[in-house]
Amino acid sequence: MIRPDRFLADLHHLRSFGASGVGRGVVRPAYSDPDVAARRWLADRMREAGLQVQVDAMGNLFGLAAGPSLLMGSHSDSQPEGGWLDGALGVIAALEIARSCAESGGPPVSVVSFQDEEGRFGVTTGSAVWSGHLSQAGADALTDHAGTPLASARAAMADMVTGPVDPAQFAGFIEMHIEQGPALDAAGEQIGVVTDIVGIRDMKITFDGRQNHAGTTPMHLRQDAFQAVSAFNTRLNDRLRNVVTPRSVWTIGHITLHPNASSIVPGRAVFSMQWRDAEKERLARMEEIIRDVAEETAAGMGVQVSFGQMLGLEPVAMNATLRRALEGAAEQIAPGAWRLMPSGALHDATNVSRLMPVAMLFVPSIGGISHAFDEDTREADLVAGLRVLDHAVRHAAGRNPQ
Ligand code: GLV
Ligand code: MN
Ligand code: MN
């Protein structure tokens, strides 16, 4: 039997690692001290549950049931300003299911907390390496915004590493997560069964202009890198309008100006350009427009543009058999209060789908808020999600989901 009290207590305990002091938020980026401390605590909980702990070179933490099993979990790293449930919910729910299955003769369930899902270094980096989407050498060469290479950051977990984990032992993967959007909360529903996960592209763009004096340089003689970013953004919003759908999104979320001083015309601007869509063709069309607009803007403003490494994941559909198991369980636990829905957020499940059948379950996010300290979900909804998982695992998903 699952124990909601134990599940909620563990979920709150995980929040204590990197607690932001603002609401229930956490600051627990991949390989930071709180992230590594949280993984050590999770490893102890896995051992207590009778699971064999293994950690691969990336720092993906597995608690393995003996023999073939169903894999469940998510990630326990956070955004630089993150909520307490993003990733953590899926890991702790998986722990409770694995624990209760072991206690009461249920199907064998293994647990995972993938590393750097939140992309301090890349895009869902830990599961990308585990699935073979990205090589270890390729990952090691990635740097965070401060210029730290992943290769040196992951040394923080070196003493925990046991070796590679063979995916062949898992029949499938189920990830529970908060929705991180407004649909379920707005409709007053409790459960979302995911149909597909959007694709993503992410790259850095650099405008190099001319650093100069902000008092003496006439406006018409400037090669201002920030003005180039600003003009690029306005043009891009206009030009994308003809190709996007209401589900397409694009974001400039990080920008560095050099030298970043009030009295200096910025000589260089480096910014992140990220876009997501459910269709691969549209992602490619958006890329063409982004590159064209950046080049046109640079030419018109007398600056140089350069493009960094492109990272990305393709859109993926969930496995029909596993999905049906979740649908059946949702109808049992939350009759009439669940829906099928796509995911606009990325998840480790995208990478894992390269290796085995995958499915995902959502619970509502209050006000649709996530990647923010005030992210939250009603306790009744957290427990309803756990019950749906439990029902699905015991009744169907444990059985050969091809
Ligand atoms: C993962 O958190 C994402 O960016 O969707
Ligand atoms: Mn997440
Ligand atoms: Mn996230």
Side-chain angles (χ1 to χ4, degrees), residues 75 86-87 117-118 177:
H75 60 95
D86 180 355
E117 192 275 349
E118 297 291 12
H177 208 281

Side-chain angles (χ1 to χ4, degrees), residues 45-126:
R45 297 291 76 70
M46 288 170 172
R47 278 187 207 98
E48 263 176 23
L51 303 169
Q52 188 208 351
V53 171
Q54 293 216 18
V55 178
D56 69 12
M58 275 297 292
N60 296 315
L61 166 66
F62 291 82
L64 301 177
S69 62
L70 183 69
L71 182 65
M72 301 178 78
S74 187
H75 60 95
S76 51
D77 61 300
S78 83
Q79 286 285 328
E81 290 197 3
W84 71 300
L85 297 168
D86 180 355
L89 173 62
V91 174
I92 299 296
L95 177 65
E96 181 55 29
I97 300 287
R99 204 154 45 187
S100 71
C101 283
E103 287 166 353
S104 59
V109 171
S110 295
V111 181
V112 63
S113 171
F114 287 111
Q115 185 51 289
D116 197 29
E117 192 275 349
E118 297 291 12
R120 172 179 167 196
F121 292 94
V123 174
T124 59
T125 328

Side-chain angles (χ1 to χ4, degrees), residues 56 60 62 71 114 126-133 165-173 316 348-358 401-402:
D56 69 12
N60 296 315
F62 291 82
L71 182 65
F114 287 111
S127 56
V129 173
W130 188 59
S131 70
H133 178 65
V165 174
D166 182 2
Q169 66 197 294
F170 306 120
F173 175 62
V316 295
D348 293 305
T350 293
N351 291 315
V352 181
S353 73
R354 297 166 62 91
L355 303 172
M356 64 192 80
V358 303
Q402 300 306 317

